[in-house]
Amino acid sequence: MKKFDLIDDFLKFIDKSPVSYQAVDNLSQKLIDSGFEKLDKGEKWNLRHSGKYFIINNDSSIIAFRIGKINSDFKFHIIGSHSDSPGFRVKPKSIMEVDRNYIKLNTEVYGGPILSTWFDRPLSLAGRVLIKGDQKPITRLINIDRDLLIIPNLAIHMNREVNNGYTFNAQKDTLPLLSLMQEEADENFLHRLISEEIKIDQDQILDFDLYLYVREKASILGYNSEFISAGRLDNLAMAHSSINALIDSGESESTNIVIVTDNEEVGSMSRQGADSPMIRDTLERISICINGEREDFYRAISKSFMISADMAHALHPNYAEKADPTNYPIINKGPVIKLAASKAYTSDGYSSAVYKQLCDNAGVPCQEFTNRSDLRGGSTIGPITSKHLDIAAVDIGNPMLAMHSVRELGGVDDHYYIYKSFIEFFK
Ligand code: ZN
């Protein structure tokens, strides 16, 4: 894809992917449009060389793959990222009345959002609804596509300390306002709203997984239009660039895999998270389908390589002192290799060298990140995947600011650079 087509496609993808369910649905639609076949985990797989396939796990994680050419040396080239972002999850009995004047929703925090960034912005709800089926529940995705909710700030006159650092309470300060009180405002109010939205009888709704999202659209900004300002850059940027690289890279000697897992922001310990048998089982199953023997799987693993792709911290213009004195990424100067002595990242000298070589071959600049020695920093799916797979791996990502704000800031050039490095990897 050309640079500006890729960026345009990315902004549209973010806008129509408010939570992990929609992100995975949009990725799967793109794969189907590009000739990938959706596999059912409960059916027998008949895979062939150069074939293109994908599976979805519990509606919110996806593994897409293109089998290597016939007679090629069987091995995996894997890029992993995540579909979820920090925010708020709606609780089951969520309707709360305030002195018979307001209706608000009871929510809990998902992952580690910067709470203050969620205030005073138009919000809505998205996720999935489970409705009655013949034998088992049927999933319907839902995105209430209108400005519906808001978390209003308290006036500064009533909280003079707000600009001096304020501790937010997630059971009090961040509950979103839904409506003024009205006649029909009983505990089924939200179910009625959902039933109207997906046009189904209210008594057909069994359950839901619903999250808040911010309505403001992604945009390009800066004097030279060099920045991407959007929600969920962490980590839809990596999901988008890796899936597009898989689609655009064509046939290869290696079996190329893109994994987008859910629940990274809460530790990955779910069936659809990276800390599950999902990835290993799928790789083993592909190998057995193609080669027939378990031994071939272990041989393939020993020759394979994984790129764990998650966003990285750029040098902040107002907080330069928070960056490492010598390893500080700059926006639009290329993908970032993340290193930590604690092994919070998988990268080591060998795997970093492999990625540097890839960038060099692709004509793309690349940078390195370490935490300041007196800061702990974050982690990602790379080390978690290493618990399950004996594969050489590197942790990389694009430099960005305001990570876990409801609106983050990244670079236009970087999104194209990393896509080119992924194409090179899959070639
Ligand atoms: Zn992330």
Side-chain angles (χ1 to χ4, degrees):
M1 225 188 286
K2 291 211 173 67
K3 181 175 170 184
F4 288 99
D5 293 335
L6 184 80
I7 301 303
D8 189 50
D9 190 73
F10 178 44
L11 298 192
K12 288 186 179 128
F13 170 65
I14 288 194
D15 287 340
K16 61 184 182 182
S17 304
V19 298
S20 59
Y21 298 103
Q22 276 77 16
V24 163
D25 188 50
N26 290 322
L27 293 174
S28 78
Q29 197 53 55
K30 184 176 269 285
L31 290 165
I32 288 167
D33 293 346
S34 308
F36 282 70
E37 181 187 335
K38 185 176 176 182
L39 298 172
D40 186 332
K41 284 191 291 174
E43 299 291 323
K44 184 163 173 52
W45 292 1
N46 292 305
L47 307 181
R48 51 179 178 77
H49 285 278
S50 301
K52 304 186 285 185
Y53 311 93
F54 71 97
I55 57 163
I56 289 178
N57 203 1
N58 201 11
D59 300 324
S60 61
S61 69
I62 189 164
I63 301 180
F65 52 100
R66 187 190 294 251
I67 314 274
K69 286 184 206 165
I70 197 152
N71 296 330
S72 55
D73 187 19
F74 193 78
K75 63 185 173 193
F76 302 109
H77 280 189
I78 306 166
I79 302 175
S81 63
H82 64 90
S83 58
D84 60 324
S85 303
F88 296 88
R89 182 187 159 86
V90 178
K91 288 183 177 174
K93 284 196 189 70
S94 60
I95 296 295
M96 295 175 77
E97 297 173 15
V98 184
D99 296 337
R100 277 178 279 161
N101 284 302
Y102 292 110
I103 306 171
K104 60 182 184 178
L105 286 187
N106 192 6
T107 60
E108 61 182 319
V109 174
Y110 177 84
I114 301 177
L115 294 175
S116 62
T117 63
W118 282 78
F119 284 77
D120 302 329
R121 294 174 190 254
L123 308 172
S124 192
L125 296 171
R128 67 174 177 178
V129 181
L130 289 308
I131 58 177
K132 285 180 190 164
D134 276 346
Q135 302 289 331
K136 56 180 187 177
I138 298 166
T139 301
R140 288 273 301 273
L141 298 193
I142 181 170
N143 174 5
I144 303 182
D145 192 13
R146 66 183 173 103
D147 298 350
L148 183 69
L149 297 138
I150 196 155
I151 306 171
N153 254 302
L154 181 62
I156 196 164
H157 315 82
M158 299 175 194
N159 181 12
R160 294 278 180 196
E161 290 306 301
V162 67
N163 291 331
N164 300 331
Y166 176 74
T167 305
F168 294 99
N169 180 320
Q171 191 60 70
K172 176 168 175 55
D173 298 312
T174 54
L175 302 184
L177 175 64
L178 174 61
S179 185
L180 286 169
M181 194 65 192
Q182 45 201 289
E183 287 295 303
E184 68 272 24
D186 55 20
E187 62 174 23
N188 292 320
F189 191 77
L190 185 62
H191 280 70
R192 262 201 301 285
L193 182 72
I194 295 167
S195 71
E196 283 162 17
E197 185 65 27
I198 62 172
K199 297 182 175 52
I200 194 153
D201 285 343
Q202 195 183 314
D203 60 7
Q204 294 295 101
I205 298 169
L206 294 168
D207 215 326
F208 54 75
D209 294 301
L210 285 180
Y211 296 84
L212 300 186
Y213 75 94
V214 162
R215 298 279 299 156
E216 293 151 335
K217 300 277 186 235
S219 66
I220 302 292
L221 62 80
Y223 180 73
N224 289 314
S225 301
E226 61 266 63
F227 300 117
I228 302 173
S229 170
R232 307 178 293 284
L233 288 183
D234 172 16
N235 197 14
L236 294 187
M238 297 300 102
H240 178 264
S241 49
S242 59
I243 285 277
N244 277 290
L246 181 70
I247 289 169
D248 295 346
S249 57
E251 277 189 297
S252 167
E253 296 288 317
S254 54
T255 290
N256 294 332
I257 315 253
V258 167
I259 301 167
V260 184
T261 62
D262 196 3
N263 304 130
E264 190 272 343
E265 300 294 354
V266 289
S268 295
M269 278 199 293
S270 68
R271 187 184 149 204
Q272 59 278 3
D275 199 359
S276 77
M278 169 178 70
I279 299 172
R280 187 188 174 89
D281 285 358
T282 307
L283 297 183
E284 187 167 350
R285 191 166 175 182
I286 294 168
S287 179
I288 289 171
C289 282
I290 291 291
N291 302 302
E293 301 242 3
R294 197 141 189 255
E295 167 77 359
D296 295 305
F297 168 64
Y298 290 106
R299 288 176 50 225
I301 286 290
S302 77
K303 291 177 274 189
S304 298
F305 194 85
M306 174 158 172
I307 296 175
S308 160
D310 201 350
M311 296 299 272
H313 301 296
L315 178 75
H316 196 292
N318 298 342
Y319 304 92
E321 73 282 4
K322 293 286 182 187
D324 182 71
T326 54
N327 297 283
Y328 48 86
I330 304 291
I331 286 178
N332 286 339
K333 295 218 166 149
V336 175
I337 298 168
K338 300 187 246 181
L339 291 134
S342 66
K343 290 291 156 201
Y345 303 120
T346 55
S347 318
D348 55 25
Y350 171 74
S351 62
S352 300
V354 169
Y355 189 70
K356 282 178 184 170
Q357 174 96 59
L358 277 174
C359 288
D360 200 44
N361 293 349
V364 162
C366 108
Q367 321 180 65
E368 281 153 324
F369 169 86
T370 64
N371 289 301
R372 274 182 65 99
S373 304
D374 51 4
L375 284 180
R376 185 168 61 93
S379 187
T380 178
I381 65 163
I384 291 165
T385 314
S386 291
K387 274 166 53 184
H388 301 276
L389 290 170
D390 176 15
I391 287 186
V394 66
D395 268 284
I396 58 126
N398 269 339
M400 63 174 285
L401 297 173
M403 189 179 283
H404 290 196
S405 167
V406 81
R407 201 165 175 97
E408 301 168 326
L409 193 74
V412 168
D413 292 348
D414 291 328
H415 196 64
Y416 187 60
Y417 287 147
I418 209 157
Y419 161 80
K420 281 176 70 177
S421 80
F422 291 164
I423 293 250
E424 186 66 31
F425 180 51
F426 285 150
K427 263 188 355 205

